[in-house]
Amino acid sequence: MDREIIDRIREKVDIVELVSRYVNLKQAGKSYKGVCPFHEDNDPSLTVDPTKKLWHCFGCGAGGDVFNFLMKIENLSFPDAARELAQETGVKVPDRQGGSGKGKLTNLMNEVNDYFHSNLLRKGVGKKARQYLENRGYGEETIKEFSLGYALDSWNSLTNKFQGEYGPGNLEKVGLVKKSDKGKGKYYDRFRNRLIFPIRSVRGKVIAFGGRILDSDDKGPKYLNSPNSPLFQKGETFYGLASARRELGKTDRAILVEGYTDVIAPASRGIKNVIASMGTSLTADQVKLLSRYVSEVIIAYDRDQAGQQATLKGLKLLRNEGLGVRVAGLPPDGDPADIIENQGAEKLKEILDEATPFHEFYLELLEGEYDLSTVEGREKALKSSTKFLSNIQSPPLRHELIDKLKDMLKVSASEITRPIRRKGGKTSSEEGLKVDRTQEGLSLDQWIIHLLIEDKIRPTTLEEEGVLEELHPELRALAEKIIEGGESGKGIEEIMKTMGEKERKKLSRITLADAVKGGDPQKASEDVIKNYINAKRDKLKQRFKEAYQKGEEEKAQKLREKIARLTKKEAEL
């Protein structure tokens, strides 16, 4: 891909908007900060500079430009990342071969989604599915907002329409068709006579589908989902996340539900921060993803046995990730969609506002599951709670639960904690690396490059003091490019366009350091020179000592004079 096209794409992409699709960013001066999605990050370590169009994590060291970010977070090759961003920004890219093929699969899924959607809107064909939606209170506006669709009551309509352009292998790869046992090379449509819910990536691209059965007489599961594919891993995303992303950032809270209509019903009535785990089994990957956007989660799963167990699992995962958790008190026979459809949005808001804190929900669940008036019931509850507590990493939360449990079960605190210690339960989490995110996190050589970029130190000063000669060879080459570009009137963005990906990545951390901790430019410049004077003087002192011991008086005298000049120069600063 031509350098000119790459530069045009980079220039048009809003890096803050791009990163915000994956991370909840908050403005901090001229830059933006958020939790890094690439490592265990308890504090915002990720910095994004909209002017320089760079990002860097001062925790794990990852960084670069818009292409690096998309490549890393979506596991894309450079050509695929460039084409994705070109498509979004309207930059025309020559149709050449290359890339991992994910771009072609993404195009396929988006075209299939348009096909399903048009089926639903066609008067005769989509009547059955539209009638189902109308009966639940969803009209054409909702259909269009969520791009709902309909899979025809046919074994091969989708196969016949798309296999010519994309090939049956690609259709099978993304789970749209299955191989038939009625003949070699024969395929049939996976989704037939179903209401279709498109599942999107955080960037809004269709990556999978969910289909609901429309006729109770039809064989097969009530809900059928796309299998895992190169585009989609069920345990790594949420239904509705792409559309809810902005509201999650505003409210700092997510409402976690089970299914598709549990998202659509509240969202179509103005409750936009709702996402679904697509089933009840929340995974650690989903929790990590969610922690980028919010600090609190309200779980609104069904109150049946499966829903209760899923809620418990979710509670532990979410709390261990450092998120605040509450549980919505839904009625035993109702889910969020039912409440919206039968009692209205205000009723659901009321239930959500009254959601029970994590520990209170767990204690209520124990009381409901075991007969605590009997010794046998309390023994069972103690065994169950011991297993639960051994997976809680927050010491304050464990202490509070133990304090409540000892009264409820009529035992001492030590009788609760003793089995936990035997199981090897941790009292705290010491995983992760703490990094002091300050300008001193840069080496002296890197800090000089930073000051050059920010025009806070004059190149002539570095040359006069011999600082450039002392720089690490790789960094000296960067410094020379920056100085040369500055003399031509170029800003850092223009200078970086002439650099390779490796050099740009190295510069991202250096150039963004000021966004983490600023400082007085004059003092910063003086400190750099002083540090170099001290380092140079130390070397001269060592050489003087060696010359003196060898009796090389003339050499020792010259070194003594140089040391004196350096000492005088430092005093003048």
Side-chain angles (χ1 to χ4, degrees):
M1 195 175 292
D2 293 340
R3 171 71 64 182
E4 186 180 342
I5 293 175
I6 292 170
D7 291 341
R8 203 180 311 146
I9 296 168
R10 186 187 292 110
E11 185 64 32
K12 285 199 170 190
V13 174
D14 181 343
I15 192 169
V16 173
E17 194 279 330
L18 174 67
V19 178
S20 291
R21 299 175 193 175
Y22 305 88
V23 179
N24 184 13
L25 293 178
K26 294 183 179 178
Q27 193 162 5
K30 293 180 180 179
S31 62
Y32 291 79
K33 295 173 73 174
V35 174
C36 178
F38 303 121
H39 77 291
E40 296 288 345
D41 191 14
N42 295 322
D43 297 310
S45 300
L46 184 75
T47 297
V48 180
D49 190 313
T51 305
K52 296 166 183 167
K53 291 185 178 291
L54 296 171
W55 64 278
H56 186 81
C57 174
F58 287 84
C60 68
D65 59 10
V66 292
F67 300 110
N68 299 117
F69 185 84
L70 192 58
M71 288 165 64
K72 189 170 179 66
I73 201 158
E74 291 287 354
N75 193 27
L76 297 176
S77 65
F78 179 81
D80 281 343
R83 290 178 189 279
E84 287 277 355
L85 294 175
Q87 188 176 22
E88 289 185 14
T89 55
V91 176
K92 291 185 179 179
V93 177
D95 186 18
R96 297 177 186 170
Q97 294 298 315
S100 67
K102 278 191 175 182
K104 186 171 185 177
L105 296 179
T106 300
N107 289 339
L108 166 62
M109 294 299 275
N110 282 283
E111 285 186 29
V112 169
N113 183 58
D114 291 341
Y115 167 69
F116 283 146
H117 185 59
S118 65
N119 287 344
L120 183 58
L121 294 176
R122 286 167 60 189
K123 286 186 178 180
V125 173
K127 184 178 179 181
K128 186 189 301 181
R130 286 199 311 276
Q131 188 62 55
Y132 167 81
L133 290 168
E134 287 171 14
N135 291 342
R136 297 196 65 169
Y138 307 120
E140 191 168 320
E141 186 177 334
T142 302
I143 290 173
K144 290 180 177 179
E145 181 182 356
F146 295 94
S147 193
L148 303 179
Y150 173 62
L152 300 181
D153 191 3
S154 163
W155 285 88
N156 55 18
S157 59
L158 184 146
T159 303
N160 291 340
K161 183 172 179 64
F162 292 99
Q163 68 177 345
E165 181 178 355
Y166 289 97
N170 282 327
L171 298 180
E172 184 184 21
K173 196 177 290 184
V174 291
L176 292 170
V177 302
K178 299 179 74 174
K179 280 184 179 178
S180 172
D181 55 6
K182 294 183 179 180
K184 189 176 181 180
K186 298 286 186 180
Y187 294 83
Y188 64 91
D189 297 357
R190 177 183 294 272
F191 298 100
R192 305 179 304 279
N193 192 29
R194 287 177 180 268
L195 176 65
I196 297 295
F197 302 88
I199 300 165
R200 299 179 183 272
S201 69
V202 294
R203 291 182 294 130
K205 304 292 185 182
V206 177
I207 55 176
F209 296 101
R212 189 196 190 282
I213 203 167
L214 291 171
D215 289 335
S216 56
D217 295 336
D218 284 353
K219 294 181 180 180
K222 182 178 178 181
Y223 283 95
L224 178 67
N225 296 314
S226 293
N228 288 340
S229 75
L231 299 180
F232 172 68
Q233 297 292 317
K234 185 179 178 183
E236 295 179 3
T237 190
F238 294 94
Y239 177 71
L241 180 58
S243 55
R245 184 171 47 81
R246 294 190 185 280
E247 194 65 20
L248 295 178
K250 288 180 185 177
T251 61
D252 199 26
R253 174 189 297 165
I255 300 162
L256 183 60
V257 298
E258 290 182 33
Y260 306 114
T261 56
D262 292 331
V263 170
I264 291 173
S268 63
R269 269 74 163 190
I271 306 174
K272 302 287 187 180
N273 57 330
V274 186
I275 57 174
S277 53
M278 293 181 289
T280 55
S281 186
L282 191 66
T283 69
D285 286 331
Q286 286 175 317
V287 170
K288 283 184 173 65
L289 173 62
L290 190 53
S291 69
R292 302 180 199 164
Y293 298 95
V294 298
S295 62
E296 183 188 25
V297 178
I298 296 177
I299 299 179
Y301 286 163
D302 294 354
R303 295 299 290 267
D304 57 18
Q305 184 65 27
Q308 297 282 49
Q309 291 304 312
T311 298
L312 270 183
K313 180 186 176 184
L315 285 171
K316 288 184 284 189
L317 288 171
L318 291 163
R319 282 298 286 119
N320 288 341
E321 193 64 27
L323 297 172
V325 191
R326 292 190 289 148
V327 181
L330 300 178
D333 56 349
D335 56 33
D338 294 331
I339 294 167
I340 288 281
E341 292 164 14
N342 299 318
Q343 300 178 63
E346 291 304 315
K347 180 61 177 178
L348 180 61
K349 287 180 183 177
E350 180 184 317
I351 291 172
L352 295 173
D353 288 341
E354 296 173 356
T356 305
F358 166 88
H359 57 287
E360 291 182 18
F361 168 80
Y362 177 67
L363 295 173
E364 288 175 7
L365 202 61
L366 271 184
E367 286 183 307
E369 189 170 350
Y370 302 103
D371 182 1
L372 301 184
S373 65
T374 67
V375 172
E376 184 182 9
R378 292 196 296 275
E379 286 176 342
K380 290 179 179 179
L382 176 61
K383 185 176 181 180
S384 174
S385 62
T386 298
K387 184 178 179 182
F388 181 77
L389 286 168
S390 66
N391 292 313
I392 300 297
Q393 295 175 3
S394 165
L397 180 60
R398 286 175 62 165
H399 178 78
E400 184 165 356
L401 280 166
I402 290 168
D403 194 49
K404 300 283 186 184
L405 281 168
K406 68 181 178 63
D407 294 332
M408 180 186 293
L409 304 180
K410 299 179 181 179
V411 295
S412 66
S414 62
E415 288 173 305
I416 299 173
T417 58
R418 192 181 304 119
I420 297 174
R421 286 195 293 271
R422 284 203 300 268
K423 286 176 177 284
K426 298 177 182 179
T427 57
S428 65
S429 175
E430 296 180 355
E431 295 180 0
L433 178 65
K434 293 183 178 179
V435 179
D436 293 328
R437 294 172 291 111
T438 67
Q439 67 188 41
E440 286 76 18
L442 299 178
S443 70
L444 187 56
D445 287 10
Q446 291 170 330
W447 188 239
I448 286 171
I449 300 294
H450 172 79
L451 293 174
L452 277 174
I453 292 169
E454 296 295 320
D455 199 24
K456 292 179 179 178
I457 192 168
R458 291 177 300 175
T460 52
T461 302
L462 297 179
E463 291 167 359
E464 289 169 1
E465 304 302 336
V467 173
L468 283 179
E469 296 176 7
E470 300 288 336
L471 288 177
H472 184 279
E474 287 185 8
L475 292 173
R476 184 166 64 244
L478 284 179
E480 289 169 353
K481 285 185 179 182
I482 293 166
I483 292 170
E484 184 181 340
E487 289 172 349
S488 304
K490 295 178 181 178
I492 188 62
E493 293 81 12
E494 287 295 311
I495 296 170
M496 288 181 72
K497 287 179 181 179
T498 66
M499 296 180 177
E501 288 300 313
K502 186 178 179 181
E503 288 179 311
R504 278 203 297 271
K505 185 176 180 181
K506 185 174 291 186
L507 272 183
S508 69
R509 176 172 186 256
I510 296 171
T511 193
L512 292 177
D514 200 36
V516 177
K517 180 178 177 180
D520 175 38
Q522 181 64 33
K523 186 176 184 302
S525 179
E526 290 174 0
D527 287 345
V528 165
I529 302 302
K530 283 181 178 178
N531 273 290
Y532 264 95
I533 286 174
N534 286 330
K536 196 168 185 178
R537 185 169 51 196
D538 287 344
K539 288 181 182 178
L540 290 174
K541 283 181 177 179
Q542 182 60 34
R543 289 171 59 192
F544 169 79
K545 183 179 178 181
E546 291 171 358
Y548 182 79
Q549 289 174 343
K550 291 178 181 179
E552 298 173 348
E553 294 183 6
E554 186 178 348
K555 184 178 180 179
Q557 180 59 31
K558 288 181 179 179
L559 290 169
R560 185 185 291 113
E561 290 171 1
K562 286 183 179 181
I563 293 168
R565 284 198 296 271
L566 287 174
T567 303
K568 182 180 178 183
K569 189 172 287 185
E570 182 183 19
E572 291 171 352
L573 290 174

